[in-house]
C-alpha cells in the first residue's frame, strides 16, 4: 500500500513539474523572456541619474524600464527633471534629439535566493507640459499624478497603472489593474487580465475600453453614447444617449461592465 501511495505521489509531482515547465516554455516562446526563481526585488535608494531640462528643449518623452516602477509627478519649478534610482549609472541609456527625450534602464534579475534592488524612474513634469509621454514597463507599476495638458501612452506587461486626471490616455496592461481618476478628452484602454476602474469620463472624442478577463467600472460620464458588449457577465449602464456625437465602445469577454452610479 505504501509503495502504491509513493508511486501515485511521485506521478502527481512529476505531472505538476511538467505543467509548470510547459507554462514557462510557452511564456518564453510567446514573450521571449526567460524565467528566474527569486524572493523578489527591493527598491534601490541610490540615485544614479538626475538631470533637468527646460520646456523649450522637450516636447516628447519616452521612458522604458525592465524591472521597477515609474512615477510621474508635478514639478516644483517649471523644468522637466528625470531621476533614476538603481545600482550603477551604466544601467541608464538616454538621448535628447529633436526635442524628444528618451531614457531606458536595464535592471538585474534576481537569481534563486539572492534579491537585487530594482530600479525606479521618477519624472518631474510641469503641469503646463502639452506634449506626449510614453511609458514602457516589463515588470513594475506606473503612477501618474494630475496632468490635464499632456497625453499619455502606457504599455505595462506585469503591474498596475494608476493615473490622476489626464487629457488623453492610451493604456495597455497585460496583467494588472488600471485605475484612473478622470479623463477629459479621449481614451483607449486595454487590460488582458485585470480590472479597469475610472471615477469620471468627460469625453470629447470617440474612445474605447476593453477587458479580456476582469471588470470595467466607470462611476460617472458626460452625455455620450455607450456601445457596450459582454460575452460572459453582467451589463449595467445607468445613462445612455444614442444621439450623442461621441461614442464610447466598451467590450468585456469575461466580467462585468458597470457605468454610472
Amino acid at each position: 500500500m505504501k509503495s502504491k501511495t509513493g508511486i501515485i505521489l511521485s506521478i502527481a509531482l512529476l505531472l505538476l513539474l511538467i505543467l509548470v515547465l510547459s507554462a514557462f516554455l510557452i511564456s518564453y516562446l510567446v514573450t521571449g523572456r526567460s524565467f528566474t526563481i527569486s524572493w523578489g526585488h527591493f527598491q534601490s535608494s541610490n540615485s544614479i541619474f538626475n538631470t533637468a531640462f527646460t520646456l523649450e528643449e522637450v516636447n516628447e518623452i519616452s521612458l522604458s524600464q525592465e524591472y521597477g516602477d515609474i512615477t510621474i509627478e508635478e514639478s516644483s519649478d517649471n523644468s522637466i527633471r528625470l531621476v533614476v534610482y538603481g545600482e550603477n549609472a551604466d544601467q541608464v541609456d538616454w538621448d535628447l534629439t529633436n526635442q524628444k527625450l528618451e531614457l531606458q534602464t536595464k535592471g538585474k534579475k534576481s537569481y534563486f535566493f539572492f534579491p537585487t534592488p530594482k530600479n525606479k524612474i521618477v519624472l518631474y513634469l510641469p503641469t503646463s507640459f502639452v506634449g506626449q509621454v510614453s511609458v514602457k514597463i516589463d515588470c513594475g507599476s506606473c503612477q501618474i499624478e494630475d496632468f490635464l495638458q499632456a497625453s499619455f501612452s502606457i504599455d505595462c506587461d506585469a503591474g498596475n497603472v494608476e493615473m490622476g486626471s489626464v487629457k488623453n490616455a492610451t493604456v495597455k496592461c497585460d496583467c494588472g489593474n488600471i485605475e484612473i481618476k478622470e479623463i477629459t478628452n479621449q481614451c483607449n484602454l486595454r487590460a488582458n487580465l485585470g480590472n479597469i476602474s475610472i471615477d469620471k469620463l468627460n469625453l470629447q472624442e470617440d474612445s474605447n475600453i476593453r477587458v479580456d478577463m476582469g471588470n470595467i467600472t466607470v462611476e460617472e460620464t458626460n452625455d455620450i453614447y455607450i456601445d457596450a458588449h459582454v460575452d460572459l457577465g453582467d451589463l449595467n449602464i445607468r445613462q445612455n444617449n444614442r444621439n450623442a456625437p461621441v461614442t464610447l465602445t466598451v467590450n468585456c469577454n469575461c466580467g462585468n461592465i458597470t457605468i454610472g452610479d
Side-chain angles (χ1 to χ4, degrees), residues 8-129:
I8 294 174
L9 182 59
S10 299
I11 293 174
L13 291 174
L14 182 60
L15 289 175
L16 179 61
L17 179 61
I18 292 173
L19 289 174
V20 172
L21 292 176
S22 298
F24 283 1
L25 177 61
I26 292 172
S27 180
Y28 175 76
L29 292 175
V30 173
T31 66
R33 297 187 182 91
S34 60
F35 280 82
T36 55
I37 301 173
S38 73
W39 289 105
H41 297 267
F42 61 91
Q43 181 64 59
S44 174
S45 60
N46 180 39
S47 176
I48 59 175
F49 184 87
N50 190 334
T51 305
F53 309 88
T54 66
L55 281 172
E56 291 73 20
E57 290 179 291
V58 180
N59 62 18
E60 183 177 354
I61 301 172
S62 177
L63 306 176
S64 180
Q65 176 109 289
E66 286 187 348
Y67 297 92
D69 303 333
I70 294 178
T71 64
I72 303 177
E73 305 176 10
E74 181 180 349
S75 175
S76 59
D77 51 30
N78 204 38
S79 67
I80 299 170
R81 180 174 294 275
L82 268 173
V83 181
V84 180
Y85 298 93
E87 289 186 279
N88 303 302
D90 57 8
Q91 293 178 298
V92 180
D93 184 15
W94 73 281
D95 179 68
L96 176 58
T97 304
N98 296 326
Q99 294 184 293
K100 181 176 182 180
L101 176 59
E102 297 179 278
L103 185 141
Q104 179 181 4
T105 71
K106 295 183 178 180
K108 293 182 178 180
K109 300 177 182 179
S110 295
Y111 291 93
F112 299 100
F113 306 106
F114 304 100
T116 58
K118 64 179 181 180
N119 296 334
K120 181 177 182 179
I121 299 175
V122 182
L123 169 63
Y124 297 97
L125 194 66
T127 56
S128 58
F129 183 78

Side-chain angles (χ1 to χ4, degrees), residues 143-195:
Q143 296 86 32
I144 300 173
E145 293 184 350
D146 298 344
F147 293 96
L148 293 175
Q149 302 297 322
S151 298
F152 294 90
S153 178
I154 314 297
D155 187 350
C156 184
D157 289 344
N160 299 322
V161 176
E162 299 178 13
M163 308 180 74
S165 297
V166 297
K167 180 180 179 181
N168 298 314
T170 298
V171 183
K172 176 180 174 292
C173 191
D174 290 337
C175 183
N177 299 322
I178 300 173
E179 298 181 5
I180 302 176
K181 179 181 176 182
E182 182 183 12
I183 298 173
T184 63
N185 186 59
Q186 189 269 346
C187 70
N188 188 355
L189 311 177
R190 172 70 182 267
N192 291 331
L193 179 60
N195 302 319

